[in-house]
Amino acid sequence: MSAQNKEKWPNRIRINVSDDIDHNTLWDRSFTRTRLIAGCITAVVLFILVIFSLIAYTPIRTAIPGYPDAYTKRAAVHNAYVIDSLQTVIDRWELYTENLRRVIDGKEPVYFENVLKMAENPEEIAKAKAEFRRADSLLRTKVRTGETMSIDISNSFIE
């Protein structure tokens, strides 16, 4: 009896599916321990692959957070176009303000054709940006010093 308790698993395992009413055998399989474990592991891996395939390659993935749906993709493309358009508007306003500042200072304005020519040469673009930053900082310091001196111009407009 003690020899039977030491061996908990038999060498072969039989799985039998039978009809409950007339006890006819419908399905009968016999396995060893290693085949049973290998079969269970294979079944789990196949189950995981089927679930992954269903989620990755069908519209079910839109129900899971983190996967973008068609509307989100269209919105992202639309937002990219809007950002590009806004960048163009900002560039135009920067050119306009630069030209306005140049006219106020009595200098020659920058024409659009000159900007296109500068776009072909990156060194000129870098020089123009540095010049713009320098001019901007000078203008800002002028405005700050004018504010600290508290210039009163209210009487000059009243006649």
Side-chain angles (χ1 to χ4, degrees):
M1 196 118 162
S2 64
Q4 289 177 351
N5 288 339
K6 286 184 180 179
E7 188 178 325
K8 295 181 181 179
W9 282 79
N11 286 338
R12 296 194 59 84
I13 300 167
R14 178 178 297 260
I15 298 176
N16 188 356
V17 178
S18 61
D19 188 9
D20 197 27
I21 296 172
D22 59 1
H23 300 290
N24 288 335
T25 301
L26 299 175
W27 186 71
D28 187 18
R29 286 285 181 200
S30 179
F31 300 102
T32 61
R33 279 185 247 170
T34 55
R35 279 186 137 188
L36 180 64
I37 292 171
C40 289
I41 291 173
T42 303
V44 168
V45 168
L46 286 175
F47 180 73
I48 290 171
L49 287 175
V50 166
I51 295 298
F52 174 76
S53 296
L54 280 174
I55 290 173
Y57 301 115
T58 62
I60 295 173
R61 70 174 171 247
T62 58
I64 297 174
Y67 281 102
D69 58 348
Y71 173 76
T72 308
K73 289 179 183 177
R74 279 194 305 266
V77 170
H78 175 72
N79 288 342
Y81 287 134
V82 169
I83 288 172
D84 185 51
S85 299
L86 290 175
Q87 184 62 43
T88 304
V89 169
I90 289 171
D91 292 341
R92 287 181 186 169
W93 273 102
E94 285 178 353
L95 182 64
Y96 174 77
T97 55
E98 176 66 21
N99 280 339
L100 186 62
R101 187 189 59 77
R102 285 176 163 267
V103 168
I104 289 172
D105 289 344
K107 296 179 182 175
E108 190 69 27
V110 176
Y111 293 105
F112 188 70
E113 294 82 21
N114 296 343
V115 173
L116 290 177
K117 288 178 186 174
M118 283 192 327
E120 295 173 0
N121 193 352
E123 293 87 20
E124 290 183 22
I125 292 172
K127 272 199 263 180
K129 283 184 179 180
E131 174 64 26
F132 179 73
R133 286 187 190 114
R134 188 187 65 75
D136 184 53
S137 64
L138 289 174
L139 181 64
R140 287 180 190 268
T141 55
K142 276 185 181 179
V143 169
R144 282 189 198 120
T145 56
E147 288 174 355
T148 57
M149 293 180 187
S150 56
I151 300 171
D152 187 20
I153 58 170
S154 60
N155 291 336
S156 62
F157 291 109
I158 301 173
E159 292 183 13

